[in-house]
Amino acid sequence: MRRVRSALCYGLAATAALLASPPLAGEPYPSKPVKIIVAFPPGAVTDTTARLIATRLTAALGQSVIVENKPGASGIIGTEAALKSPADGYTLTMISSAYTTVPALHRVNFDPIGDIAPIIQVSREPLVVAVTPALPAKNVQELIALARANPGKLNFVSAGPGTPSHLAAELFATRAGIRMTHVPYKGGAPALTDLIAGQTDLFFVPLPTALPHAKAGKLRAIAVSSRQRNEAVPDVPSVAESGLDYEVAFWVGLAGPKGLPRPIVERLNTEVTMALKSRETADRLRAHGSSIAAGTPEQFHATIKKEIELWREVAREAGLQPG
């Protein structure tokens, strides 16, 4: 009888352990604080989104979720650190579309498709074709005409070689049949500062970054890169409205290293999805021109794979060589 009772108790304990959501080394996940690495400086779109989601996850998971910034090398340093961390769910990374553009021009020490466990795409927003107010171009057609009349004389800045702001501009130039000169900066902040100061001509910049400066009249937003206009700037037309076949989205999403247990992926996907459904979270994102993406890990992985292939092709068409 004692053996039967012991076996029954053991079975009930094992069942309870299996029901803990989700299991990790015999403990329910998470049993300690979770870290989200952001490969960009504080204040960048990826960083602010990560901090918003970290706050929501802290409440949902019952453990602290902290953001750690590891900027450098167009995001390669922080991303590599995250993807080479143990696949236990305690080190995640908030990536952006830079994750898919950088491999087009930089050699990275990881497989951008095989070494990542996508969890959920959080948000997406257009880039803004922003020009210095002194530039005599009020719309896309005038910008193209100006560039054609002055081949190679218009300067566009970027946050660095291979960043979304760089390759989005290269794609625009290819589709428009124009030639411009690329001036790379070490980050978007100094690039934006020089654009506002009139030291350069244009910048393909994420809408949340451009919005306050456009409203203050410090730069002119002549188009957004989405197919449709954005509700945050309804008076700004899309590039596609000018007749160009052009669409680029800047997105942000949560991921982990390859091998992340499926129960952890599903738990995090569910919690972030619930957070994105809250009116407060949605309103904060929309206020800056972002829209909710959400979706499954598989959908996010498909987006990553598709865009890596796209940007490599854009780099080839522009004659850019990987460094």
Side-chain angles (χ1 to χ4, degrees), residues 9-49:
C9 291
Y10 177 83
L12 290 173
T15 301
L18 287 173
L19 290 175
S21 175
L24 182 66
E27 298 178 344
Y29 173 84
S31 59
K32 60 182 182 180
V34 177
K35 177 171 63 180
I36 299 177
I37 292 178
V38 174
F40 300 97
V45 175
T46 311
D47 173 74
T48 56
T49 304

Side-chain angles (χ1 to χ4, degrees), residues 11 24 38 65-66 103 108 122 187 197 203 242 248 269 300 311 313 317:
L24 182 66
V38 174
V65 179
I66 60 174
V108 295
V122 175
F203 187 14
S242 69
V248 175
N269 180 281
F300 190 18
W311 294 119
E313 180 60 28
E317 289 182 359

